[in-house]
Amino acid sequence: MDCFVEGICDKMCPENEVKLRIREMLVHFYEKNPKTGRVEKGRMVKAFARSAAGKETTARDLRTFGALRMTVAYLLTEIFPDERKAFHFVYDFIFDRLRAVRQEIVQQNLSPRDTLILIEPMIYFMVVSRYKLCEESLENFDPKICRQHTMECIQTALKCYDELPDRPNRQVIESIYLLMNLGNQAALARALSLPGLASSSGIFLTSLKMSLFCWRNNYYRILTIWSELPTICCIAAAETIPEIRGKLLATFAVGFHSKQLTVPLTWLQRILRYGDRSQTERDLRRFGVEINGTDARFDKTMFEKREKSFHSREAIVEAKLLTHPVTFPI
């Protein structure tokens, strides 16, 4: 316990770092006044830095819980909706600053309650960002790194829920964990060990059904109930939906393989739960399916040469975002 230090800094950025970064001209775009472009100390947020061997962390270098909470709220309410730059630029800044908050959670050994207050909105941010940036190039966004850090945040939250089982956001976070790991045995085992949630109706039960359907290779049933989820959970599942569609189409490629037989696009759009015709045609071509007017022709030899992995925005999710936008639990 002696290695933990309780922070006393009540600002978003410790004074020592403020002075250093101003002197070294390391102030970020979002740490300057949007009208004048001048540095504003009140806008500066502590940046992530790896712990250096032999360097002692003092209480003045660490923020109080109140300052950490204020930092998370500031990043997600003030910076996240800022449209002056492309979203991948916004994401990079927030990701780095939230990583610094996560570092302090460990350094200060915050309680499960305080940890959840800080971690839960981070999970929402990571899930939403991964969806919004799914069509970006690797140069601008690395989905693997984002997923890795999202799962780290979720694992931290799950450990806290084991100590505080009645937290209000637990059902949503446990559902996100299931949906990002559809069919995974470890995720299913955890879900089935939570009788209070597993026997309930609503978000968690729907997520559990989807994971069980995936484990049983019943991909059609996954697609039929996917859109029933609330927006944040629908987004969490969206990263797996192209793979689910691909597995279902692999069955079609064998069953409908023919030089003469065609399948109506309207039927495929309904079965595969596409929101519009254009996305249906685009994805079918990526899967190596031939499009002829209003019909599709399957060739299993061509399907085997399909594009292995791709992600794109979903019309169903976009519609949900318009009617029920995601609200961060701050």
Side-chain angles (χ1 to χ4, degrees), residues 44-72:
M44 293 186 69
V45 184
K46 184 178 179 180
F48 173 76
R50 297 186 184 279
S51 300
K55 183 180 179 181
E56 184 180 355
T57 301
T58 67
R60 288 180 298 176
D61 297 323
L62 300 178
R63 293 163 287 184
T64 62
F65 169 71
L68 291 172
R69 190 174 187 180
M70 176 178 65
T71 299
V72 174

Side-chain angles (χ1 to χ4, degrees), residues 226-242:
W226 166 51
S227 60
E228 298 174 7
L229 293 166
T231 307
I232 186 65
C233 293
C234 197
I235 291 173
E239 70 174 62
T240 315
I241 294 302

Side-chain angles (χ1 to χ4, degrees), residues 72-92:
V72 174
Y74 170 75
L75 291 170
L76 298 183
T77 58
E78 299 293 329
I79 306 301
F80 183 81
D82 194 312
E83 298 181 344
R84 288 177 292 160
K85 296 277 189 178
F87 184 70
H88 68 83
F89 188 81
V90 178
Y91 166 81
D92 286 342

Side-chain angles (χ1 to χ4, degrees), residues 21 35 47-48 77 84 93 113 128 175 179 193 224 236 253 256 271 288 292 316:
R21 290 210 280 125
K35 294 181 179 179
F48 173 76
T77 58
R84 288 177 292 160
F93 176 73
R113 174 190 168 278
V128 172
S175 298
L179 295 167
S193 71
T224 59
F256 298 140
I271 292 295
N292 290 321
I316 288 175

Side-chain angles (χ1 to χ4, degrees), residues 231-285:
T231 307
I232 186 65
C233 293
C234 197
I235 291 173
E239 70 174 62
T240 315
I241 294 302
E243 182 182 351
I244 298 300
R245 288 190 180 119
K247 290 178 177 179
L248 188 56
L249 282 167
T251 304
F252 292 168
V254 175
F256 298 140
H257 172 71
S258 173
K259 292 184 178 180
Q260 289 80 34
L261 179 67
T262 60
V263 181
L265 282 174
T266 51
W267 181 79
L268 287 172
Q269 180 178 332
R270 177 170 57 84
I271 292 295
L272 298 171
R273 295 297 292 163
Y274 281 111
D276 55 54
R277 170 75 173 270
S278 61
Q279 187 183 24
T280 308
E281 293 187 10
R282 181 193 63 194
D283 284 6
L284 288 178
R285 289 192 175 94

Side-chain angles (χ1 to χ4, degrees), residues 87-89 91-92 95 126 129-150 180 239 311:
F87 184 70
H88 68 83
F89 188 81
Y91 166 81
D92 286 342
F95 175 86
M126 301 289 277
S129 296
R130 193 169 193 272
Y131 173 74
K132 291 185 70 172
L133 295 170
C134 66
E135 296 178 348
E136 284 286 345
S137 64
L138 281 175
E139 185 180 58
N140 292 330
F141 174 70
D142 190 329
K144 289 185 178 180
I145 290 178
C146 182
R147 179 182 171 82
Q148 175 192 334
H149 284 268
T150 306
M180 290 184 66
E239 70 174 62
H311 294 90

Side-chain angles (χ1 to χ4, degrees), residues 285-329:
R285 289 192 175 94
R286 284 173 166 176
F287 280 118
V289 179
E290 181 184 346
I291 306 296
N292 290 321
T294 59
D295 298 313
R297 179 176 287 109
F298 286 89
D299 182 334
K300 63 182 180 181
T301 57
M302 289 298 295
F303 191 82
E304 290 171 357
K305 302 174 183 178
R306 67 189 182 277
E307 189 176 335
K308 297 299 182 183
S309 177
F310 61 87
H311 294 90
S312 59
R313 294 200 179 194
E314 297 283 346
I316 288 175
V317 175
E318 295 299 311
K320 278 184 171 289
L321 285 169
L322 286 175
T323 56
H324 299 87
V326 174
T327 303
F328 294 110

